[in-house]
Amino acid sequence: MSKAAETRQMILQRSFELIYQKGYQATSIDNILATTQVTKGAFFYHFKNKDEMGLALINEVLYPGMYATMVKPLLDSHDPVNEIYAMMRNLLIKIPFLRAKYGCPAINLIEEMSPLNESFRKALVRLTNEWQDAIADNIEQGKVKGDIRSNVNSKHTACFIVAGYSGIRNMGKAMGSGCYTVYLQELKNYLQQLK
Amino acid sequence: MSKAAETRQMILQRSFELIYQKGYQATSIDNILATTQVTKGAFFYHFKNKDEMGLALINEVLYPGMYATMVKPLLDSHDPVNEIYAMMRNLLIKIPFLRAKYGCPAINLIEEMSPLNESFRKALVRLTNEWQDAIADNIEQGKVKGDIRSNVNSKHTACFIVAGYSGIRNMGKAMGSGCYTVYLQELKNYLQQLK
DNA sequence: AATTAAACATACTAATTGGTATGTTTTACA
DNA sequence: TGTAAAACATACCAATTAGTATGTTTAATT
């Protein structure tokens, strides 16, 4: 990776962390410059404006990260229901970067920016759909295997599960991580009942 | 109500609508002044600062509104499961003020302000808990009546339901109101299975 | 109706915002 | 190794921010 590409990457990474904790609009460019030690000239050489940086951040940092932890574990599944649960448990309590107080970076961006920026919205819908589809595919495989009732609507169920995750991330911000374990218990019940 | 009280109430009401659509931090005081036709002197006569106004807004506008639509319909329930579903359906698709694009004002505030302002967080936790408790009480009544299995954990179930609502409000921002009906169908399944 | 405090108005401020104009320094390559 | 373009640095700008200082008007009570 060239030095310029490294600078760009570093700006995206640090901005991602700042925005995760403070929100997109509340994170100023000067704020990013201070934590990256990059000058304004360098920043605006790499990105036309703040929103273009934000979009790059979604596609180049958020998307790969979420694909690895949310989608990949569900592909070529052997034990569908347990894999969905394990993925969720991993996501909620095994990734040190994600803290209850700050929620989930993807959910945060959807919440804050979807109504304000159409480009952001579309990029974030893509992430959500990919996750939802992976969950639905997983459930379909469970149906083929006979692990899951044939009258389960996989897409609807996937939507319900995604909503649950999104919601518990929101609750966690106000209530702390305690509600994660409660949620996981009920998720297990819900998944069990699909059998 | 005295004229001063009316002014104060009007500021809170209009601010509530603005903040609902743009977010708390993105709504400037000048912005509020423009839509209320109130001058800066009047604003700062009624509120010490922006955050105090925000807190008043939570307690005096958000709280009563949400109590009426989310808590009250669940008290003294005759048909627990159906009342939870009806409340949710009403909340999601029967209140014209609430639009999918802008989500739920309470959820929005939790998401944006919980990590940033401890007073806001506490006030919002109170709302959430009150709703969650009303749902749990409703389920307990269902257990007494024999409508709901005795091995259902009412508090956990309530948490799961609240998370679901919060999450579908988030998804609705990105995907539109279509996902509401999908969610409601799966919620019905979930509630049915508590019987 | 007179009075006085409550209620509101106007004009300002210092700090911060995203972004630009105009430089200087690196770095890759001929 | 010379050179041109890529990569970065500095100094600025106009607009916006929350908040204040200092007024004037309105309204409730005697």
Side-chain angles (χ1 to χ4, degrees):
Chain A
M1 185 153 55
S2 77
K3 199 164 182 220
E6 266 175 38
T7 302
R8 188 190 141 97
Q9 194 61 27
M10 190 260 276
I11 293 173
L12 288 177
Q13 191 65 47
R14 290 251 207 290
S15 301
F16 178 70
E17 292 175 28
L18 279 177
I19 289 168
Y20 170 49
Q21 294 184 19
K22 311 209 326 167
Y24 177 80
Q25 295 171 98
T27 301
S28 70
I29 292 175
D30 283 348
N31 211 269
I32 292 168
L33 303 183
T35 71
T36 53
Q37 307 278 47
V38 158
T39 61
K40 199 160 267 198
F43 182 93
F44 281 100
Y45 170 78
H46 288 286
F47 306 100
K48 209 174 75 194
N49 51 43
K50 191 188 178 188
D51 280 1
E52 210 196 48
M53 186 277 289
L55 211 53
L57 187 154
I58 292 173
N59 291 319
E60 297 171 39
V61 181
L62 184 59
Y63 178 79
M66 91 129 221
Y67 190 90
T69 59
M70 298 164 99
V71 173
K72 212 172 181 191
L74 297 180
L75 302 179
D76 301 318
S77 77
H78 300 288
D79 184 358
V81 161
N82 281 333
E83 269 150 13
I84 291 175
Y85 178 81
M87 173 271 291
M88 199 68 91
R89 188 181 141 82
N90 185 55
L91 190 52
L92 283 174
I93 62 192
K94 295 285 181 187
I95 301 174
F97 176 79
L98 301 179
R99 291 194 269 158
K101 182 178 184 182
Y102 302 121
C104 165
I107 304 300
N108 295 356
L109 278 171
I110 290 173
E111 186 76 26
E112 181 186 3
M113 298 308 294
S114 274
L116 302 179
N117 186 311
E118 187 61 12
S119 306
F120 280 34
R121 205 202 102 246
K122 281 181 181 161
L124 293 163
V125 162
R126 180 172 150 249
L127 306 203
T128 308
N129 279 335
E130 208 147 330
W131 192 36
Q132 206 168 321
D133 289 350
I135 294 172
D137 288 351
N138 196 284
I139 291 169
E140 279 301 324
Q141 289 204 26
K143 284 164 76 172
V144 169
K145 287 202 157 112
D147 289 350
I148 288 178
R149 298 193 328 261
S150 61
N151 64 337
V152 166
N153 185 318
S154 59
K155 285 189 182 296
H156 290 195
T157 303
C159 174
F160 197 69
I161 290 170
V162 170
Y165 168 74
S166 168
I168 202 63
R169 278 299 189 191
N170 181 272
M171 286 186 71
K173 281 192 173 186
M175 325 280 254
S177 62
C179 59
Y180 287 174
T181 59
V182 170
Y183 166 78
L184 284 170
Q185 281 182 52
E186 268 305 300
L187 175 66
K188 191 171 250 173
N189 287 344
Y190 173 71
L191 292 171
Q192 207 63 35
Q193 157 265 336
L194 297 175
K195 291 191 175 178
Chain B
M1 184 153 58
S2 76
K3 197 164 183 219
E6 265 175 37
T7 302
R8 187 191 141 98
Q9 194 61 27
M10 190 261 276
I11 293 173
L12 288 177
Q13 192 64 47
R14 290 253 207 289
S15 300
F16 178 71
E17 292 174 28
L18 278 177
I19 288 168
Y20 170 50
Q21 295 183 18
K22 312 206 329 165
Y24 177 80
Q25 294 170 99
T27 301
S28 71
I29 293 174
D30 282 349
N31 212 272
I32 292 168
L33 304 183
T35 71
T36 52
Q37 305 278 48
V38 157
T39 61
K40 199 158 267 197
F43 181 93
F44 281 100
Y45 170 78
H46 287 285
F47 306 102
K48 210 174 74 195
N49 52 44
K50 191 187 176 186
D51 280 1
E52 210 196 47
M53 185 277 289
L55 211 53
L57 186 154
I58 292 174
N59 291 319
E60 297 171 40
V61 181
L62 184 58
Y63 179 79
M66 90 129 218
Y67 189 89
T69 59
M70 299 163 100
V71 173
K72 211 171 182 193
L74 298 180
L75 302 177
D76 301 317
S77 77
H78 300 288
D79 185 358
V81 162
N82 281 333
E83 269 149 13
I84 291 175
Y85 178 81
M87 173 270 291
M88 199 67 90
R89 188 182 142 81
N90 185 53
L91 192 50
L92 283 174
I93 62 191
K94 295 284 179 189
I95 302 174
F97 177 78
L98 301 179
R99 291 195 270 158
K101 183 178 184 179
Y102 301 121
C104 165
I107 304 298
N108 295 356
L109 277 172
I110 291 174
E111 185 75 27
E112 181 186 4
M113 298 308 293
S114 274
L116 303 179
N117 186 311
E118 187 62 13
S119 304
F120 280 34
R121 204 203 102 246
K122 281 181 183 163
L124 293 163
V125 161
R126 178 172 151 251
L127 305 203
T128 308
N129 278 334
E130 209 148 326
W131 192 36
Q132 205 169 323
D133 289 349
I135 294 172
D137 287 351
N138 196 285
I139 291 169
E140 279 301 323
Q141 290 203 27
K143 284 163 75 172
V144 169
K145 288 200 158 115
D147 289 349
I148 287 178
R149 297 193 327 261
S150 62
N151 65 338
V152 166
N153 185 319
S154 59
K155 284 190 180 298
H156 289 197
T157 302
C159 173
F160 197 69
I161 291 171
V162 170
Y165 168 74
S166 167
I168 202 63
R169 278 298 191 192
N170 181 271
M171 286 186 69
K173 282 193 172 187
M175 324 280 252
S177 63
C179 60
Y180 287 175
T181 59
V182 170
Y183 166 78
L184 284 170
Q185 281 182 51
E186 268 305 299
L187 176 67
K188 191 170 249 173
N189 286 343
Y190 173 73
L191 292 172
Q192 208 62 33
Q193 155 266 336
L194 297 175
K195 290 190 174 176

